[in-house]
Amino acid sequence: MRRQGLTLLELAVSLASSTILVAGLAGSLYISSQALPNPDDPARQSAQAATVVREIMSDVGLALSFTERTSRAITFTVPDRNGDNAPETIRYAWSGTVGDPLTYQYNGGSVVTIATDVQNFNLEALTRVMLAEALTAPVASNVVFEEFTKAKAATNVATISVAKPPSTVEGSLLIAAVSLDGEARSSLVAPSGWTLLAKGPGAAVTSPATQTFGVWWKIASSSEPANYSFNWSGGRQAYAWIMRFSGHDVNTGATINAFAMDSLGGLGSLTPNSPAVTTTVANAMILRLGGFDSSRFASYDAGTTPGAPGLLLHTAVTTDRSSTSTISNCSGAAGYVVQATPGNSGASTFTLLVTPEQYTTVTIAIAPAPAL
Amino acid sequence: MNPIQPTRRALTLLEIVVATMVTGVMLVAALDSVGAVFNTHKLNAERLAGPSIGHELMAEILAMPYKDPTSSTVIGPEGGESTTNRNAFDDVDDYDNLNTLGLRTKSGVVRAGFTGLRTQVDVQWAGVLTGLDWIWDTGLKRITVTVTSPSGEVTVLKAYRFDNGMLEQAPAVDTSAVTWIGAELQLGTTSKPARMGTNLTNHTPDAN
């Protein structure tokens, strides 16, 4: 059998076409290899950079405080992650040299590379000055009259015991007033711990006066007795009361902002003068007290309802008398008003009924607690 | 005796040409898929870039106070606040209608590597119960950030901001607080840089 060989032409053509084929195959092999994952591929590097940046941001978003914050390094604390109840410190940093790695450090431990071949790492921040809550405009507290206790001596005695106002607590302001029938200016004393504010009548009223009136005050301590006994010599009827206040300045040097006393002997008056004081603080309470010889008010305390002491525009605290005897009794009254602006309070008058009486009146300005 | 074998002919030129053409067509198809792999890589990078840029801008907006300090009651920038420089922005709704081609820093400087990227912001009052647009201040603002990549990939981010939300409470003492941190990272000389930002949830005192 005779087999025909390839002609030269056929060989040349087939060689040429197979060369093209091989070249194409080799090219496609190369291109395919480029599509394989390659760490230096720009698209992959972008993706990795995005992942790393996202990781950093998720940490920074929880930051509690920064100890280092530059464009290339950041050190901050994040809430406890390992259960030791202490914040963790995280640091991300890049040296700034192109090609150096981006590093991560946790609680000052070993430095870990989280990205290599860093060309640029730049941190920016926005800060805001946040102001603390403005303290609400200081509202000057007001002195508040809370309650009072009273005691009467309807017979001639030398002592009177007044109960402590029931809700007295440490720091309460207590003001005691004792009105006596007859002369006891030199002998009337308060228990220890009380500070005498005024005792009258004044020297212009010659002894023996027909009435005596004393006013004391104290800031309650942590242990106050249940009763306070006021003493004098000689038998006298008496009316005594203790008022409790809150909202006052507890600094004992400033509690009593001002006080004044007025008195009248002789024939007395139907409208005893309550003297003016000049306050130096805002919202001081002007407390007006009076002790009167056998006096009559338009009404007397019935239970807890205060009577009518006069004292126009004031809030009455008490009007009461030692007994209903009109010969040897005595009485007392008190009322108050808050004066918003410092200055002269002006005078006021008590109003008595029927007969003029000798009197001693005391006006006290109580300073409110200063605004914090 | 052996039977006479039939004559075997070699391939003709025509057959070779046809075979080569078939191979070529298949090769082209194969290379097409390789190209698709490349495109996917590129697209993936872009898809990562969109949300990252969006998050960065969203974080910047969320770090802002809810209310304008001047108590302005309109949505949008107040007088003296320009959209080319976001430094003067002082509340969330100042970003309303922000439309920037190419990424810019807060002070308006163009960032390299983001040509053709468009960011848009919409801020609206939203009903607290319904989430629908509202025409007066409900104490709730909806922020929509839209990032369009140069190739048309659209990323939409939405966030709500309450008037009693983050960073609205006054600190105990006057604080210079860091409200937002942004970072840019470029790995390798030819890759695109990655950007991301976050708002800080705490009153975080700045480093001294």
Side-chain angles (χ1 to χ4, degrees), chain B residues 51-86:
Chain B
S52 292
I53 300 299
H55 274 299
E56 186 183 27
L57 183 59
M58 182 65 90
E60 181 187 314
I61 299 171
L62 288 175
M64 284 287 137
Y66 177 87
K67 277 196 177 77
D68 191 272
T70 59
S71 305
S72 160
T73 52
V74 288
I75 291 272
E78 284 78 31
E81 295 169 357
S82 142
T83 50
T84 55
N85 180 344
R86 309 196 297 276

Side-chain angles (χ1 to χ4, degrees), chain A residues 231-255:
Chain A
N231 301 297
W232 55 92
S233 58
R236 306 285 177 206
Q237 289 196 13
Y239 173 56
W241 72 99
I242 297 178
M243 294 162 286
R244 181 172 71 83
F245 299 86
S246 65
H248 53 279
D249 192 339
V250 293
N251 173 9
T252 52
T255 310

Side-chain angles (χ1 to χ4, degrees), chain A residues 69 117 119-120 124 128 130 132, chain B residues 63 174-175 177 182 186 206:
Chain A
R69 192 177 62 73
D117 194 15
Q119 303 297 309
N120 183 31
E124 295 164 61
R128 182 167 14 134
M130 305 190 75
Chain B
D174 293 1
T175 308
Q186 189 187 359
D206 201 358

Side-chain angles (χ1 to χ4, degrees), chain A:
Chain A
M1 192 196 89
R2 184 166 161 264
R3 289 186 64 186
Q4 192 183 350
L6 296 169
T7 65
L8 186 59
L9 182 69
E10 284 169 341
L11 199 62
V13 168
S14 64
L15 265 178
S17 69
S18 61
T19 303
I20 292 169
L21 260 179
V22 168
L25 285 169
S28 64
L29 198 65
Y30 172 76
I31 291 169
S32 305
S33 74
Q34 292 298 295
L36 292 173
N38 171 7
D40 292 333
D41 172 33
R44 285 184 61 81
Q45 282 178 325
S46 289
Q48 197 208 342
T51 312
V52 168
V53 170
R54 196 165 290 210
E55 204 171 289
I56 297 172
M57 286 306 133
S58 66
D59 273 343
V60 173
L62 304 171
L64 297 174
S65 67
F66 290 97
T67 50
E68 178 191 22
R69 192 177 62 73
T70 68
S71 61
R72 288 173 190 154
I74 192 167
T75 307
F76 55 95
T77 56
V78 294
D80 184 26
R81 291 184 177 183
N82 56 9
D84 63 356
N85 286 329
E88 318 302 341
T89 305
I90 293 176
R91 182 170 195 262
Y92 288 100
W94 177 56
S95 68
T97 308
V98 170
D100 272 7
L102 178 66
T103 60
Y104 167 81
Q105 199 179 13
Y106 179 71
N107 274 345
S110 55
V111 177
V112 181
T113 296
I114 52 170
T116 52
D117 194 15
V118 175
Q119 303 297 309
N120 183 31
F121 177 62
N122 186 40
L123 285 162
E124 295 164 61
L126 297 179
T127 60
R128 182 167 14 134
V129 174
M130 305 190 75
L131 299 180
E133 185 101 49
L135 292 170
T136 43
V139 176
S141 62
N142 275 340
V143 182
V144 178
F145 165 69
E146 301 282 2
E147 58 178 346
F148 77 104
T149 53
K150 62 184 177 182
K152 297 174 184 179
T155 56
N156 287 341
V157 292
T159 184
I160 191 165
S161 173
V162 188
K164 174 181 71 174
S167 298
T168 299
V169 293
E170 184 175 6
S172 292
L173 170 63
L174 302 178
I175 294 181
V178 178
S179 176
L180 297 179
D181 179 42
E183 172 67 54
R185 276 180 281 186
S186 57
S187 61
L188 177 60
V189 289
S192 66
W194 290 85
T195 304
L196 177 69
L197 201 59
K199 193 157 63 170
V205 178
T206 53
S207 185
T210 55
Q211 57 83 229
T212 303
F213 187 57
V215 177
W216 296 262
W217 69 281
K218 77 183 295 182
I219 301 287
S221 67
S222 56
S223 60
E224 288 290 328
N227 295 283
Y228 304 99
S229 288
F230 296 83
N231 301 297
W232 55 92
S233 58
R236 306 285 177 206
Q237 289 196 13
Y239 173 56
W241 72 99
I242 297 178
M243 294 162 286
R244 181 172 71 83
F245 299 86
S246 65
H248 53 279
D249 192 339
V250 293
N251 173 9
T252 52
T255 310
I256 305 299
N257 189 242
F259 76 94
M261 186 179 85
D262 192 16
S263 54
L264 186 66
L267 294 175
S269 168
L270 265 176
T271 55
N273 175 56
S274 175
V277 290
T278 302
T279 64
T280 58
V281 293
N283 296 318
M285 175 180 279
I286 310 296
L287 175 68
R288 298 180 187 274
L289 307 103
F292 314 91
D293 192 18
S294 56
S295 65
R296 297 163 188 182
F297 284 98
S299 65
Y300 286 94
D301 278 358
T304 56
T305 309
L311 297 177
L312 190 66
L313 301 179
H314 287 53
T315 305
V317 173
T318 179
T319 56
D320 213 339
R321 53 188 168 177
S322 59
S323 71
T324 52
S325 154
T326 53
I327 300 166
S328 58
N329 76 345
C330 63
S331 61
Y336 64 87
V337 69
V338 171
Q339 180 174 317
T341 52
N344 193 323
S345 68
S348 186
T349 51
F350 290 90
T351 308
L352 307 181
L353 287 184
V354 187
T355 49
E357 298 293 349
Q358 299 83 34
Y359 63 87
T360 300
T361 55
V362 175
T363 305
I364 307 170
I366 306 168
L372 292 174

